[in-house]
Amino acid sequence: MPEGVALARDLVGPAMEAAIARLTPAVHAVAAYHFGFADAAGNPIRSGSGKALRPALALLSARAAGAPPDRGVTAAVAVELVHNWSLLHDDIMDNDTERRHRPTAWTVFGVGPAILAGDALLALAQDLLLEDDTLKGAWASRCLSAAVLRLIDGQGEDLAFEKRDDVTLAECLDMAGNKTAALMACACSIGAVHLGAPPTLAMALAGFGAHVGLAFQLTDDLLGIWGAPEVTGKPVRADLRARKKSLPVVAALNSGQPEAAELGALLTSPEALTEGDLVRAANLIVAAGGKDWAEAEADAQLAKANESLASIDLASDVRAELTAIAEFITARTW
Amino acid sequence: MPEGVALARDLVGPAMEAAIARLTPAVHAVAAYHFGFADAAGNPIRSGSGKALRPALALLSARAAGAPPDRGVTAAVAVELVHNWSLLHDDIMDNDTERRHRPTAWTVFGVGPAILAGDALLALAQDLLLEDDTLKGAWASRCLSAAVLRLIDGQGEDLAFEKRDDVTLAECLDMAGNKTAALMACACSIGAVHLGAPPTLAMALAGFGAHVGLAFQLTDDLLGIWGAPEVTGKPVRADLRARKKSLPVVAALNSGQPEAAELGALLTSPEALTEGDLVRAANLIVAAGGKDWAEAEADAQLAKANESLASIDLASDVRAELTAIAEFITARTW
């Protein structure tokens, strides 16, 4: 694990707990459970609250602007609150029953309380940033609200794609740009924006984050098909079983290769997919070039991310840590 | 209908449509349906989009700061977006299947898309205010985020109260202050805040809105028991049938009068309530003083609202219109 991630857990974790402590008890209980600060009965526990990648990036973003990492804590908390708003609500929308090896909040507290807790995290994120009643607070807040709107667009596109059989690769990349990359771009720039850094710095950091975000999504999609269960925490080929139109799948379907038709027929078949079907589908994606394309595209995005960083002056340790996190979250460990 | 409300519909309606037009098609479809701009298939219609009370108050708030009403449009749109975020999500939480004489959005599009559309309205409200990248935009945005957090607290308290039989009148009033009055206070002050009006003016307008909001909730609760179906759009005694712990009910239960015990037993009885039970419950509330208390408290809140207005210099037409809206929304027409 990159060192910036461990620092983020130490610095941002307590600030996260303090932030959600502002919520009324019934709402706080759901949020504290979701973050792994408490069990379903409200007893304090220490469960994994996720990887703290976005907080780590936000702290580095403040350091990129020449400030010590603690000046990025509010921005880091805001980004992590927004990320968890999206998880709480997406788990309901996607009918997901498990997250971070625990039952999802809506399965424990009900759909209504989980909706409300998600709303609370989103509202709290904005309120925390606006508490700094200077223009810098407003800039950070706008940086976040723009990312939130793109994330919602991406989730809306994702829901709409599920009902379509003709999704293009361009549409799919655009969706990933909204759903995943926009918040990553925000995480990489909001610390600097909140400190009033020059636009060239903030833009380059956002560009870095956007490309890393796409590389991350491509990697996540590859792992969803070929990742080992020990690495992904999910059964092998889980995304194929769920018939998810992930990027390698859509690349294969749109490849013009002979395997595309059989793959399309398999994934839209009304019958349950057998293990044999899943292996066959994965092989068809490879044969149609979907896996190669996704690997090459992930590498290309990572290269663009590093080009974006190369365009700005940065302390060498900050540059190294940003690069280390980018490599960490795009590692293809099968 | 007060003249400020008609003006708000003309000025704010088109701005609302333009605001939600920014959303991606799948999300826009749900929002446009919810607002009555489109039917479920996306065809344009003109259905009632609600009473536009909060937008009317926001425009008056801008006028109170000496500006023409169109300077309050962004603030009015933001408040109305937030109000409708809460309606979209509350309808899911409360399992409500009808709103404004149409099926609720979640029953038409599904829970997931309705959650996402609500999220979009909340995020859009903040983004619109922050688009004005001056400190005034940030003040208006904070005014809204603080109200949103109180609204969430109120909804959380409301959900928690449903599981308790010992809710006090003070808790219930506090909940109404959060769930209803906070956004009304925001509506009455945000136009002025957005124009950089002096704090004394903004505070007095917010105080007016908070008291009107409580008077409105008390009135709504009275109408939920004694209102005529033609006025409320709901069956008579609908709130009793739903065993809602509304303010007159909680006042009666906590009255110390001999009728309280029978009323409590009726409302917690495991059996379905007959029409006779509902009539009996309404009579018990009257006998225990719950109706008188709610009427007196609504009148007292309205008087406090007017005192708050009396403390500031206002153009006479603005004062008259604020008072007219306050009276309109607290009229007890049985």
Side-chain angles (χ1 to χ4, degrees):
Chain A
M1 166 142 339
E3 108 192 61
V5 174
L7 176 69
R9 287 185 182 181
D10 292 345
L11 267 181
V12 180
M16 291 293 299
E17 284 197 73
I20 66 166
R22 299 186 186 194
L23 303 172
T24 200
V27 181
H28 177 263
V30 185
Y33 172 85
H34 168 78
F35 281 112
F37 298 148
D39 66 15
N43 305 308
I45 56 168
R46 275 287 158 271
S47 181
S49 298
K51 293 186 285 286
L53 295 172
R54 291 165 193 78
L57 292 168
L59 296 189
L60 281 164
S61 164
R63 287 172 63 195
D70 61 279
R71 294 286 303 279
V73 168
T74 304
V77 168
V79 169
E80 190 68 352
L81 288 170
V82 159
H83 176 54
N84 282 281
W85 148 74
S86 79
L87 297 181
L88 272 165
H89 283 187
D90 284 5
D91 283 344
I92 305 170
M93 293 182 216
D94 301 340
N95 210 32
D96 282 335
T97 55
E98 196 172 303
R99 165 160 315 273
R100 297 166 191 155
H101 309 288
R102 301 164 75 217
T104 44
W106 70 268
T107 67
V108 175
F109 295 93
V111 167
I115 294 175
L116 193 62
D119 290 341
L121 302 190
L122 178 57
L124 196 50
Q126 288 295 8
D127 199 62
L128 284 174
L129 290 171
L130 293 165
E131 212 166 39
D132 168 4
D133 61 351
T134 67
L135 272 178
K136 293 172 186 172
W139 294 336
S141 183
R142 184 88 204 279
C143 175
L144 194 65
S145 73
V148 167
L149 282 171
R150 286 194 59 195
L151 207 159
I152 290 167
D153 273 1
Q155 175 70 359
E157 285 153 4
D158 202 8
L159 293 177
F161 289 176
E162 282 172 21
K163 298 188 197 137
R164 285 175 48 195
D165 287 328
D166 61 347
V167 178
T168 67
L169 194 51
E171 286 178 316
C172 216
L173 278 168
D174 184 63
M175 186 269 278
N178 286 328
K179 192 171 168 177
T180 307
L183 190 61
M184 208 72 99
C186 173
C188 290
S189 56
I190 192 169
V193 168
H194 197 199
L195 290 160
T200 45
L201 176 62
M203 300 274 285
L205 290 167
F208 170 79
H211 290 301
V212 170
L214 276 179
F216 170 68
Q217 187 60 62
L218 285 153
T219 307
D220 202 53
D221 285 357
L222 285 163
L223 293 174
I225 302 175
W226 292 281
E230 312 84 84
V231 176
T232 63
K234 294 188 288 188
V236 71
R237 291 181 281 274
D239 281 3
L240 289 181
R241 194 182 304 275
R243 302 169 198 247
K244 216 175 124 181
K245 293 193 186 85
S246 67
L247 286 158
V249 172
V250 175
L253 290 173
N254 289 281
S255 64
Q257 296 295 316
E259 294 83 3
E262 188 187 342
L263 178 65
L266 255 181
L267 293 177
T268 55
S269 130
E271 278 151 60
L273 298 173
T274 66
E275 289 304 315
D277 290 337
L278 298 178
V279 171
R280 176 80 188 145
N283 289 338
L284 289 167
I285 297 167
V286 172
K291 184 165 183 253
D292 281 347
W293 171 83
E295 292 186 359
E297 185 64 26
D299 293 342
Q301 291 293 338
L302 205 52
K304 284 188 198 168
N306 287 326
E307 275 171 41
S308 200
L309 268 204
S311 72
I312 45 174
D313 270 335
L314 276 183
S316 60
D317 57 340
V318 173
R319 189 185 302 274
E321 286 187 43
L322 283 168
T323 308
I325 293 181
E327 282 169 8
F328 175 68
I329 65 180
T330 57
R332 296 198 286 271
T333 36
W334 309 124
Chain B
M1 168 147 335
E3 117 192 53
V5 175
L7 176 69
R9 288 186 182 181
D10 292 344
L11 268 182
V12 180
M16 291 293 299
E17 285 197 73
I20 65 166
R22 299 186 187 195
L23 303 172
T24 200
V27 181
H28 177 263
V30 185
Y33 172 85
H34 168 79
F35 280 113
F37 298 148
D39 65 17
N43 304 306
I45 56 167
R46 276 286 160 272
S47 183
S49 298
K51 293 188 284 289
L53 293 173
R54 290 165 194 79
L57 292 168
L59 297 188
L60 281 163
S61 164
R63 288 172 63 194
D70 60 282
R71 294 284 303 281
V73 168
T74 305
V77 167
V79 169
E80 190 69 350
L81 287 170
V82 158
H83 176 54
N84 283 280
W85 147 74
S86 78
L87 297 181
L88 271 165
H89 283 188
D90 284 5
D91 282 344
I92 303 170
M93 294 181 216
D94 301 341
N95 210 30
D96 282 335
T97 55
E98 196 172 304
R99 165 159 316 272
R100 297 167 191 155
H101 308 290
R102 300 164 77 215
T104 45
W106 70 268
T107 66
V108 175
F109 295 92
V111 168
I115 293 175
L116 192 62
D119 290 341
L121 302 190
L122 179 56
L124 197 51
Q126 288 295 7
D127 199 62
L128 283 175
L129 290 172
L130 292 165
E131 211 166 40
D132 169 4
D133 60 351
T134 67
L135 273 178
K136 292 172 187 173
W139 294 336
S141 184
R142 183 91 204 277
C143 174
L144 194 64
S145 73
V148 166
L149 281 171
R150 286 193 59 193
L151 206 157
I152 290 167
D153 274 0
Q155 176 70 0
E157 287 154 1
D158 202 8
L159 293 176
F161 290 177
E162 281 173 22
K163 299 187 198 138
R164 286 175 46 195
D165 286 329
D166 59 348
V167 178
T168 67
L169 195 49
E171 286 178 316
C172 215
L173 278 168
D174 184 62
M175 186 270 280
N178 286 329
K179 191 171 169 176
T180 308
L183 189 60
M184 207 73 97
C186 172
C188 290
S189 56
I190 192 170
V193 168
H194 197 198
L195 290 160
T200 45
L201 176 62
M203 300 274 285
L205 290 168
F208 169 78
H211 291 302
V212 170
L214 276 179
F216 170 68
Q217 188 60 62
L218 286 153
T219 306
D220 202 51
D221 285 357
L222 285 162
L223 293 174
I225 302 174
W226 292 281
E230 312 84 81
V231 176
T232 63
K234 295 189 287 189
V236 71
R237 290 180 284 274
D239 281 1
L240 288 181
R241 191 182 307 275
R243 303 169 197 246
K244 214 174 125 181
K245 293 194 186 90
S246 66
L247 286 158
V249 171
V250 176
L253 290 174
N254 289 282
S255 64
Q257 296 296 314
E259 294 84 1
E262 187 186 341
L263 177 65
L266 255 180
L267 293 178
T268 55
S269 130
E271 280 152 59
L273 298 173
T274 65
E275 290 303 314
D277 290 336
L278 299 178
V279 172
R280 176 76 187 149
N283 288 339
L284 289 168
I285 297 167
V286 172
K291 184 165 184 255
D292 281 347
W293 171 83
E295 293 186 359
E297 186 63 27
D299 293 343
Q301 291 294 339
L302 205 52
K304 284 186 197 168
N306 287 327
E307 274 171 40
S308 198
L309 268 203
S311 71
I312 44 175
D313 268 335
L314 277 182
S316 60
D317 56 340
V318 173
R319 187 185 303 274
E321 286 186 43
L322 283 169
T323 308
I325 293 181
E327 281 171 5
F328 175 67
I329 65 180
T330 57
R332 295 197 285 272
T333 36
W334 311 121

